[in-house]
Amino acid sequence: MKTIKLFSFIALAAMITSCSSVKVVADLDKTVDFSKYETYNFLGWQEDSDKIMNDFDEKRLRDAFVSEFEARGMKAVPENGDMAVTLFIVVDKKTSTTAYSNYYGGGYGGYGGYHRYGGGWGYGSGTTTYSESDYLEGTLVMDVFDNTSMDQIWQGIAKTTIVEDPAKRERSIPAKVAALMKKFPIQPK
């Protein structure tokens, strides 16, 4: 019985860990030669979506993006970069439901030697318990435009569970931005 409980705990821990990972999708204009872009400027947050964050997290996000662009050999400029970058963030309250089932039972399988006779009988009971927990899911959208034509050339969307502990956010925000930037057409040098 201890083995079953241990296995259930490990499965639950794995599920919680996988839920906290970042899911990333990206789209791009395939006709664009991204190798020509060397500089970028930050246009700001769309629709003032940064107002739902504190100043620390806004700085963590900005620093994480600067670091990712620098790793790709791209330089931030105050304005008129080769690319223009905007960010948009949405936070939704979600509920997670977890079920845990126990089954206790036994029985008798019939009688007779080589050929069994009788239907046998059994008994048992099962219980399933449910628990719900609330969490926050954040969606970060990064739009990139060619600064000359103002045509959109790339979009990345990252969805993840928001870590509420500030010390953990200090590590998780750069990791989640890195996951988003893995889909960016220019890879680190």
Side-chain angles (χ1 to χ4, degrees):
M1 188 54 103
K2 287 185 180 182
T3 304
I4 292 173
K5 285 185 180 181
L6 178 62
F7 178 74
S8 297
F9 176 75
I10 291 170
L12 178 62
M15 184 179 74
I16 289 170
T17 303
S18 68
C19 289
S20 66
S21 67
V22 61
K23 296 173 184 87
V24 177
V25 294
D27 199 2
L28 73 140
D29 182 342
K30 293 179 182 173
T31 65
V32 172
D33 176 12
F34 283 86
S35 67
K36 69 181 182 179
Y37 299 110
E38 297 176 359
T39 61
Y40 69 96
N41 62 289
F42 182 64
L43 291 179
W45 292 87
Q46 293 179 10
E47 300 177 21
D48 292 326
S49 65
D50 61 326
K51 302 299 183 228
I52 61 175
M53 290 184 295
N54 63 39
D55 291 341
F56 299 116
D57 288 339
E58 186 176 349
K59 182 177 180 339
R60 287 177 184 125
L61 275 167
R62 184 183 281 263
D63 290 349
F65 277 111
V66 167
S67 177
E68 287 294 324
F69 279 120
E70 282 178 357
R72 288 159 172 78
M74 301 185 76
K75 183 180 179 201
V77 294
E79 57 188 37
N80 299 322
D82 299 329
M83 296 183 326
V85 177
T86 64
L87 299 174
F88 181 74
I89 194 164
V90 177
V91 175
D92 293 314
K93 185 175 180 181
K94 301 280 187 171
T95 301
S96 171
T97 304
T98 304
Y100 178 76
S101 296
N102 287 324
Y103 177 75
Y104 303 98
Y108 175 72
Y111 60 90
Y114 183 71
H115 299 284
R116 295 225 171 232
Y117 298 101
W121 55 271
Y123 62 92
S125 67
T127 60
T128 301
T129 56
Y130 298 93
S131 65
E132 290 186 345
S133 59
D134 293 330
Y135 65 95
L136 297 175
E137 180 182 74
T139 302
L140 174 64
V141 180
M142 177 180 164
D143 290 317
V144 179
F145 301 88
D146 179 289
N147 224 353
T148 303
S149 68
M150 287 312 292
D151 291 334
Q152 184 173 12
I153 57 174
W154 190 80
Q155 181 181 65
I157 302 170
K159 283 190 176 201
T160 187
T161 301
I162 294 176
V163 177
E164 295 192 37
D165 180 357
K168 290 181 180 176
R169 283 199 311 267
E170 198 167 347
R171 291 186 310 271
S172 69
I173 287 175
K176 291 173 182 182
V177 169
L180 173 66
M181 291 296 288
K182 278 185 183 178
K183 300 272 187 175
F184 195 71
I186 302 169
Q187 291 304 303
K189 295 181 179 195

